[in-house]
Amino acid sequence: MSALRQRKSSKGKEAPVTPELHPQPPNCCTQHSDRIWHGDWSWGSIVWTSVGWSVSVCLGLLCCIYVATLHENDLWFSNIKEVEREISFRTECGLYYSYYKQMLQAPSISEGLSELIHDNLTESKRTINLLQRMNIYQEVFLSVLYRLLPIKSYLEPVYFYIYTVFSLQAVYVMALYLTAWLLSGSWMAGVLTGVWYILNRIDTTRVEFTISLRENWSLPFFALQVASITCFLRPQLSALQQKVMVWLMYVTTFCFCLTWQFNQFILLVQALIIYTLDCTDFLTTQQVTTLYLVQVCGLLSVWLLQFCNAMILGSLVLSFIVSALFIRHFQSGLKTGGFVLRVGKLFFHTAMVLLLTFSINYLAKKALQLKSDEHIFKFIKSKLGLEVTRDFDAGLYLCEEAFGVLPLDTLERLSGTLLLYPYALTLLLLMGVFTVTAVHNLSSPKGALGEESRRAFRPDLAYNLLHTVFFGLLAFSTMRMKYIWTGHMCAVAAFGVCGTEIWTLIFNTLRCNSKFLLRLVTYAVPLVMMGWLYYKFWPKLMQEVSELREFYDPDTVELMTWISSKTPRRAVFAGSMQLLAGIKLCTGRVLTNHPHYEDKDLRERTRQSSSHVGQCGATGGTGEQPM
C-alpha cells in the first residue's frame, strides 16, 4: 500500500528425593532484594533495591526512545503531511485510530461517546455500538485525557497517541525486568532481560510500524499480570502483601482484557496452566481458586463495560473455570491414594472437566445465539487438520503468513543474541526437575510432604515454567502469537543465567559446588554476556537509528484527497479491508466492511466483497486483521 524511500542523512522407598529448586546460598543482589520482602528495611537493602528499580526505569525509557526513534526515522513522521501520517496507520490500526480522531472532533465528550455508541459510518445500513463490538476504550480514554489536559498548544493529538503506545513499551520492559528479578532474586537478571528484549526487537515487538494494534496496548498489562502472579506465588508473603497482589492481578487482568478482543483465548491458556499446576499439586487450593476468580472478575468487569458483550459470556475460558471449580468441589478424594490411582483419577477428572466445559459453552452459545467467534474455531480446526474445509473465513487466515507456523529463521535470530542457548538449557533442566517433582507429588498421600515439595520447586517458578512452555507451543503453531512468548522467554533465560538454581543443579551434577564458585558465576557470566552483546550489537544499533527514510505513497494520498473533495459525505465504499480502514480514517466515509472481524454479518459482507475483488491478498491486507 505504501513505500519507503531512502532519505539522506546528515550524520554518519523412602519418599523419592526430588532435586531442590529453592534458593541456594545467595549473592548480595539476592540478599538485599529479598530482605525488603521479609520486612528488613535496612539502608543497604533500600539503596540496593532502589538502584534496581532505577535501572528498570532507565531500560524501559531506553526501549521507548528506541522504538520512537525508529518510527520517526522510518517515516520522517514529523515532516510529512497529516494525510500521510494517517495512511501510515496500516490496516486495522487506521480503523482504531479513526475513533480517537472522531472523539477529538466531536463537539463534546458526551456527543463523541454517543456517536460511538450509535455508529452508522463503520458499517453501511447498520447502526452498531462500537464500545460493545470493539476494544477501543483506550482510544476513548486518551481522547478524553487529551481534551482535559492543557497540552494542546505544544503536543499534537497524533503524538499524544503514539507516545502513549511507545510509553507502554517501557512498562512492558519493566514488567519483564520485575519478573526476572522476582524469579532470580537479582536485578541483574532484569537488566539482561531488558537488553535481550531490545536486541531481539524484530521478534519481541512490532510496535514501531503497527502502533494501534491491540496487542501493543494489551501485552504490557499482560506482562504486569504475570509479574503480579509471580509475586503472589512467592513464599512467606504477609497477608497484606497477598491482598495487594490480588488487587494488582485483578487490575492488570482487567486492563489486558479491555484492550484486546483476543483476551479470552490467552486467558484460556493461562487457566490451563493453573489447572496443570493444581493437578500436580504445585499450588494450594486457595491459590488456585484466587487465580481463577481474578480471571473471572476481570472478564466480567469488561463484560459490563462492553454493554454485556455476549462473546465474553460465551467464551471457553469462563466455561472451563466454572467446570474446573465445580468438578473439583465434588471430588474431595482426588488427591488421595498411590501414584497409579491418582493418575487414573486425574485422567477421569480432566475428562469430566472438559466434557462439562464444552457442554456449558455449547448451551451458553445456544442461549445467547452467539456466532461471533465461530471463525476462530474454523481456523483452529483447519490448522490442526481436524476438518478439511474450503471455508472462506478459515482460508482468509490460512493464506496469511502471520497465521502460519513459526519460521525457523526466528530461532536463528534468537540464537544470534545468545538468548536461545541459556533459554533452552534452563527450560530443559527445569522441565526435568518439574517432572520429577510432579511424580513425587502424585506419589505422596494427600498432605504428606506437600509443603516440602512446594519449597523444593517454588510455585512462582513452576508457573513461569509452564507459562513459557504453553505459550511457546502457541507461538510455534501460529507465528503472530510469538510476541506473547518471546518477551517472557527473555525473563526465563535471564533467570537461568543470573539465578542460583540452575547453576546449583549444574555444579551438583559436576560435584564442584561451592558458595564462592556460585557467587562468581552469577556475577561473571551475565557481565561477560552483556559485554559481548554490547561489543557486537551497539554499532549495529547506532547504524539502525541513523538510517533515515521517508514515507512515500503519492497514489494513496491522491486517492484519499480525491475521495475527500470529490465524493459526497455519505458516500459508501467497498473494497479490501486494508484500504477501507484508511478511507475511514482519512475521509470519514461510510464503509461496507472493515478489518475487525468478530461479527458474523460482517464476515458475510467481506466474503461477498472479496468475490468481486477476486483476490485473497487484497482482502487479507497485511496480516494485521482479522483478529
Side-chain angles (χ1 to χ4, degrees):
M1 176 179 177
S2 61
L4 297 173
R5 67 182 182 186
Q6 192 70 28
R7 172 161 52 104
K8 291 185 179 179
S9 173
S10 60
K11 303 177 181 179
K13 275 280 177 192
E14 295 178 353
V17 178
T18 60
E20 293 189 345
L21 278 181
H22 56 75
Q24 298 297 321
N27 54 42
C28 68
C29 297
T30 307
Q31 289 176 327
H32 285 302
S33 60
D34 281 348
R35 283 173 182 172
I36 295 293
W37 288 99
H38 297 152
D40 179 9
W41 292 88
S42 64
W43 282 108
S45 301
I46 293 174
V47 170
W48 193 253
T49 304
S50 299
V51 170
W53 278 105
S54 301
V55 173
S56 74
V57 173
C58 291
L59 271 174
L61 290 176
L62 178 62
C63 180
C64 172
I65 295 171
Y66 176 50
V67 294
T69 302
L70 291 179
H71 176 260
E72 168 64 24
N73 290 355
D74 208 31
L75 302 176
W76 206 6
F77 201 74
S78 59
N79 285 273
I80 58 179
K81 295 183 292 186
E82 186 66 21
V83 64
E84 292 176 307
R85 291 178 178 179
E86 292 179 349
I87 293 172
S88 70
F89 287 91
R90 297 173 174 87
T91 320
E92 66 176 295
C93 298
L95 183 69
Y96 295 131
Y97 181 76
S98 71
Y99 301 124
Y100 171 74
K101 178 181 175 181
Q102 182 177 332
M103 279 289 295
L104 292 177
Q105 293 176 342
S108 66
I109 294 175
S110 59
E111 289 185 42
L113 288 173
S114 178
E115 290 176 2
L116 295 181
I117 295 173
H118 307 92
D119 178 88
N120 54 13
L121 298 177
T122 305
E123 297 176 17
S124 61
K125 297 183 179 180
R126 295 182 68 186
T127 298
I128 61 176
N129 184 343
L130 292 170
L131 296 181
Q132 180 187 49
R133 278 271 301 276
M134 301 185 188
N135 297 71
I136 59 169
Y137 268 99
Q138 50 267 51
E139 278 75 24
V140 173
F141 174 76
L142 280 191
S143 62
V144 172
L145 201 60
Y146 185 82
R147 297 179 71 134
L148 296 178
L149 293 176
I151 58 175
K152 301 178 184 63
S153 58
Y154 57 88
L155 187 64
E156 297 177 62
V158 65
Y159 279 107
F160 183 67
Y161 185 89
I162 65 175
Y163 286 166
T164 300
V165 182
F166 291 150
S167 298
L168 283 176
Q169 285 296 296
V171 175
Y172 197 2
V173 170
M174 291 173 64
L176 296 173
Y177 180 107
L178 182 58
T179 300
W181 187 358
L182 289 168
L183 289 175
S184 65
S186 169
W187 53 259
M188 287 184 65
V191 176
L192 193 54
T193 299
V195 170
W196 268 329
Y197 181 88
I198 295 172
L199 293 182
N200 291 281
R201 172 188 57 83
I202 294 176
D203 297 301
T204 55
T205 183
R206 47 181 173 169
V207 65
E208 76 275 9
F209 63 91
T210 57
I211 297 173
S212 306
L213 208 60
R214 301 298 85 179
E215 64 195 53
N216 294 329
W217 288 92
S218 62
L219 290 186
F221 294 112
F222 188 59
L224 284 173
Q225 186 230 36
V226 173
S228 302
I229 292 175
T230 302
C231 192
F232 172 72
L233 296 179
R234 283 169 63 91
Q236 300 176 344
L237 284 186
S238 66
L240 177 60
Q241 289 173 334
Q242 288 182 347
K243 290 180 181 178
V244 171
M245 287 304 110
V246 170
W247 277 104
L248 283 176
M249 288 190 296
Y250 164 72
V251 171
T252 52
T253 303
F254 167 73
C255 292
F256 165 70
C257 294
L258 189 65
T259 52
W260 196 12
Q261 71 270 23
F262 202 52
N263 61 75
Q264 56 173 293
F265 300 100
I266 305 303
L267 290 186
L268 176 62
V269 176
Q270 193 175 66
L272 292 173
I273 295 170
I274 297 169
Y275 178 81
T276 304
L277 293 174
D278 181 26
C279 290
T280 49
D281 209 18
F282 283 95
L283 302 180
T284 65
T285 301
Q286 182 180 3
Q287 288 173 330
V288 172
T289 304
T290 300
L291 292 173
Y292 278 152
L293 291 181
V294 163
Q295 288 188 323
V296 171
C297 291
L299 283 168
L300 293 182
S301 298
V302 174
W303 173 72
L304 288 174
L305 273 181
Q306 289 192 315
F307 297 81
C308 304
N309 188 335
M311 276 190 66
I312 296 177
L313 290 185
S315 63
L316 266 178
V317 62
L318 275 182
S319 302
F320 177 81
I321 292 174
V322 170
S323 303
L325 291 175
F326 181 81
I327 296 294
R328 178 171 174 167
H329 178 73
F330 290 98
Q331 289 188 330
S332 57
L334 180 65
K335 297 185 177 181
T336 57
F339 177 77
V340 176
L341 180 60
R342 284 194 61 177
V343 171
K345 288 181 178 180
L346 283 179
F347 274 111
F348 178 74
H349 174 76
T350 302
M352 292 293 293
V353 169
L354 293 178
L355 179 61
L356 185 59
T357 296
F358 290 114
S359 299
I360 293 176
N361 191 253
Y362 175 80
L363 294 175
K365 288 184 174 180
K366 281 293 184 182
L368 297 170
Q369 297 182 342
L370 179 62
K371 296 182 179 180
S372 298
D373 60 350
E374 63 181 8
H375 62 298
I376 301 293
F377 297 101
K378 291 178 182 178
F379 161 70
I380 294 174
K381 289 179 180 179
S382 299
K383 194 171 184 65
L384 296 177
L386 301 177
E387 181 177 307
V388 179
T389 177
R390 298 186 63 179
D391 181 80
F392 172 79
D393 298 325
L396 186 61
Y397 283 100
L398 293 173
C399 74
E400 287 293 336
E401 182 182 2
F403 296 99
V405 297
L406 188 72
L408 293 180
D409 61 352
T410 303
L411 301 181
E412 294 178 7
R413 290 192 297 269
L414 296 175
S415 61
T417 58
L418 300 183
L419 172 60
L420 186 62
Y421 304 117
Y423 173 78
L425 179 61
T426 302
L427 187 63
L428 182 64
L429 292 176
L430 289 181
M431 281 303 299
V433 178
F434 177 88
T435 303
V436 173
T437 309
V439 172
H440 169 66
N441 291 344
L442 294 175
S443 302
S444 304
K446 181 181 180 182
L449 300 176
E451 188 61 34
E452 179 183 336
S453 297
R454 279 187 281 271
R455 286 199 301 268
F457 199 106
R458 293 156 29 204
D460 58 332
L461 185 54
Y463 171 81
N464 280 275
L465 172 63
L466 292 193
H467 183 100
T468 193
V469 170
F470 277 58
F471 284 103
L473 294 174
L474 184 62
F476 272 92
S477 67
T478 306
M479 187 183 74
R480 186 177 176 181
M481 297 295 105
K482 73 175 180 179
Y483 301 101
I484 307 174
W485 173 58
T486 48
H488 189 261
M489 180 183 182
C490 298
V492 172
F495 155 76
V497 173
C498 302
T500 59
E501 287 85 351
I502 301 301
W503 290 112
T504 300
L505 284 174
I506 295 174
F507 291 152
N508 284 340
T509 303
L510 299 175
R511 301 184 183 276
C512 59
N513 193 14
S514 69
K515 292 183 180 180
F516 172 76
L517 185 59
L518 189 62
R519 179 171 296 183
L520 177 64
V521 296
T522 53
Y523 277 118
V525 173
L527 289 176
V528 169
M529 292 182 70
M530 284 188 281
W532 184 86
L533 291 173
Y534 174 83
Y535 172 78
K536 182 176 180 180
F537 290 100
W538 182 256
K540 294 182 179 180
L541 289 179
M542 291 300 98
Q543 181 182 0
E544 186 178 22
V545 297
S546 66
E547 291 179 353
L548 305 179
R549 295 184 176 86
E550 178 184 359
F551 182 88
Y552 184 70
D553 190 4
D555 294 337
T556 306
V557 171
E558 183 180 359
L559 173 63
M560 298 303 174
T561 304
W562 180 84
I563 292 174
S564 298
S565 60
K566 302 296 183 180
T567 64
R569 185 68 184 172
R570 302 298 296 184
V572 180
F573 284 83
S576 71
M577 289 188 284
Q578 177 188 15
L579 181 60
L580 289 182
I583 291 175
K584 172 69 172 63
L585 170 58
C586 298
T587 70
R589 298 302 190 263
V590 184
L591 309 181
T592 54
N593 63 299
H594 53 80
H596 194 274
Y597 216 52
E598 277 62 47
D599 182 77
K600 182 176 177 59
D601 293 333
L602 176 66
R603 292 196 294 271
E604 179 60 25
R605 283 191 177 196
T606 302
R607 186 189 66 78
Q608 293 175 359
S609 298
S610 67
S611 65
H612 296 291
V613 175
Q615 47 183 322
C616 177
T619 304
T622 61
E624 279 28 282
Q625 67 24 269
M627 287 186 184

